[in-house]
Amino acid sequence: MAFLHPWACVLVSCISVSLVGEFNLSDLYPPLWNESPGQFSDYRVENGKHIIDPWVYPERMGMYKILVNKTASYFEKFAPDNEQNILWGLPLQHGWQYTTGRLVDPSGRTDCGYETGDHLCISVDSWWADMNYFLSALPFLGAVDSGIMGISSDQVTLSPPPKDQTKFCLDVSSCQSSFPQTMSKWNTFYKHLQLTSSSFDDLLKYLWDAHTSSLKDVYKVFEDRLEYYSEPEADFGRDWCVALDYLATSRFPTTFIRVSEFQKALPPRVLVSGDKAPFISNFTALQNTVLLGLNLLHKVDSATGFLLHVSYAFTGSGISNVAVNLKETVQGLRIWKRGMGEQGRSTGLKAKEKGRTQAKRSLNCA
């Protein structure tokens, strides 16, 4: 278990750093952000309902754009320009999926998503696209139901995919019926968002509760989609789901800058047979290191049931007490948590350099 400590440091290094120097947020927007719908009137209307097709990339991205814009005022107390809006993680992750080719038809039976075909199409056979659907539909429709979007719950509906329609909810009513607990968690987040007394850490807690619940609801439903991918890519998908539990535990701040930086460490393309971190030649050293680290984290989690053995007592800005069976895991998690908070950013940067140095020595990669 001794390796978990340096790997925790390496993973923290990716999410603890901040951009240096002057920059414009617009330079880091997801692909086609400006071209995507930014208000409900940009979508077509039928029988008094706004019809959104989430299987077209700009239309799904438009859902995020409206969500981020409609919630901007609630984050003004934390920072200007909506940069501290913790809902930014959703569109940024979706943009990464699009850029890296993870929304295309992995079966190859259609041209959906491919540059040589319908490049804006989102394939229902894509595991990434299906999992992301519930991180777009549920938070979006949850916001509509909360009243934060300015329209009633019966004024918006989502278009079904070309197949497996029964696996997807399409409006507020059907999503509440299919996923009552998760929709309740999104509603709780939006309720606290509207409270002036809610702290940034409070909002992160409720956001991550809803986020992880959205994925756990449907992981088994779409697990068979992973069969379309190479073994390295399927493993990465599973590793990523485990890593999200750790990010949620540490209340990783899903703000614009943090997520933009973090995604630089993620695979820049779909993994293929023969890809083996840390020896993927066209990946950066950091991408190789993080990919290997995520896989090791998954293996340790599976072998120890780590998350099941952790008890938390949250007070103030974070974890005040952590009880874990493994001494090495305790040390790694404490370094992880210190790196997460704004006040601990300098600690996180030190952990970054130390962790990367140790990892490079063990991997002999520069």
Side-chain angles (χ1 to χ4, degrees):
M1 300 301 172
F3 59 77
L4 185 58
H5 171 263
W7 283 119
C9 292
V10 170
L11 295 178
V12 168
S13 76
C14 304
I15 53 185
S16 299
V17 297
S18 60
L19 292 175
V20 179
E22 296 183 0
F23 61 92
N24 293 317
L25 294 186
S26 59
D27 295 336
L28 302 174
Y29 282 153
L32 303 179
W33 179 260
N34 292 327
E35 293 82 0
S36 298
Q39 52 192 358
F40 284 102
S41 60
D42 292 334
Y43 292 101
R44 63 188 175 92
V45 178
E46 292 182 5
N47 300 319
K49 291 180 182 285
H50 298 280
I51 309 298
I52 301 174
D53 189 347
W55 303 101
V56 176
Y57 173 78
E59 295 212 17
R60 188 182 294 193
M61 184 59 76
M63 295 164 65
Y64 290 130
K65 189 174 180 180
I66 293 172
L67 184 60
V68 169
N69 289 340
K70 289 288 188 180
T71 56
S73 62
Y74 300 105
F75 291 94
E76 289 177 350
K77 62 183 179 181
F78 301 118
D81 301 324
N82 207 21
E83 191 280 321
Q84 289 289 293
N85 190 329
I86 56 178
L87 289 166
W88 268 119
L90 298 175
L92 288 170
Q93 181 72 178
H94 187 48
W96 168 79
Q97 293 168 349
Y98 174 78
T99 301
T100 60
R102 288 180 163 85
L103 302 179
V104 309
D105 180 357
S107 72
R109 292 193 293 257
T110 72
D111 64 2
C112 182
Y114 290 94
E115 285 295 329
T116 55
D118 187 355
H119 69 285
L120 297 180
C121 173
I122 295 177
S123 174
V124 70
D125 284 320
S126 163
W127 178 83
W128 294 95
D130 291 341
M131 297 295 284
N132 176 264
Y133 178 91
F134 294 92
L135 283 176
S136 56
L138 299 190
F140 181 80
L141 294 173
V144 170
D145 186 50
S146 74
I148 215 168
M149 302 289 250
I151 64 171
S152 63
S153 298
D154 60 354
Q155 286 184 294
V156 60
T157 189
L158 308 181
S159 300
K163 71 173 190 176
D164 294 334
Q165 291 91 344
T166 59
K167 294 182 178 180
F168 302 88
C169 61
L170 304 176
D171 53 27
V172 171
S173 178
S174 63
C175 287
Q176 286 179 333
S177 177
S178 299
F179 309 102
Q181 292 184 339
T182 297
M183 286 293 282
S184 177
K185 289 182 178 183
W186 281 111
N187 189 266
T188 297
F189 166 70
Y190 292 120
K191 282 184 177 178
H192 283 83
L193 181 61
Q194 296 175 76
L195 296 176
T196 57
S197 58
S198 293
S199 70
F200 190 73
D201 199 62
D202 289 336
L203 296 178
L204 282 173
K205 176 188 181 302
Y206 293 116
L207 175 75
W208 276 113
D209 283 349
H211 186 118
T212 54
S213 181
S214 299
L215 296 180
K216 288 175 182 177
D217 278 341
V218 296
Y219 180 82
K220 290 295 183 182
V221 176
F222 297 104
E223 193 172 20
D224 62 332
R225 300 282 204 263
L226 291 171
E227 297 175 3
Y228 290 127
Y229 297 93
S230 68
E231 184 176 350
E233 180 68 13
D235 285 345
F236 170 57
R238 298 184 187 99
D239 296 344
W240 181 238
C241 285
V242 171
L244 286 175
D245 277 334
Y246 284 81
L247 293 176
T249 296
S250 62
R251 297 186 190 175
F252 170 61
T254 49
T255 59
F256 189 95
I257 295 175
R258 286 292 192 89
V259 175
S260 296
E261 276 296 287
F262 172 62
Q263 292 189 157
K264 293 179 181 179
L266 297 181
R269 59 166 173 77
V270 174
L271 300 174
V272 297
S273 297
D275 282 338
K276 186 174 180 60
F279 308 111
I280 304 176
S281 60
N282 57 355
F283 281 21
T284 66
L286 182 59
Q287 289 164 350
N288 268 295
T289 298
V290 168
L291 186 59
L292 178 58
L294 292 173
N295 183 253
L296 291 174
L297 186 66
H298 187 181
K299 289 179 179 178
V300 171
D301 179 80
S302 298
T304 64
F306 167 64
L307 288 177
L308 299 179
H309 292 293
V310 181
S311 62
Y312 306 97
F314 289 99
T315 60
S317 62
I319 299 173
S320 63
N321 179 58
V322 181
V324 188
N325 289 347
L326 302 174
K327 181 178 179 181
E328 292 291 341
T329 306
V330 173
Q331 187 178 13
L333 184 59
R334 284 174 179 166
I335 291 175
W336 183 298
K337 181 55 185 173
R338 286 201 301 270
M340 293 303 101
E342 292 298 325
Q343 293 180 348
R345 181 170 293 179
S346 61
T347 302
L349 289 171
K350 292 177 182 178
K352 165 196 172 183
E353 296 305 322
K354 182 178 179 181
R356 290 181 66 179
T357 300
Q358 291 176 349
K360 287 177 181 178
R361 286 174 181 171
S362 64
L363 296 173
N364 193 29
C365 66

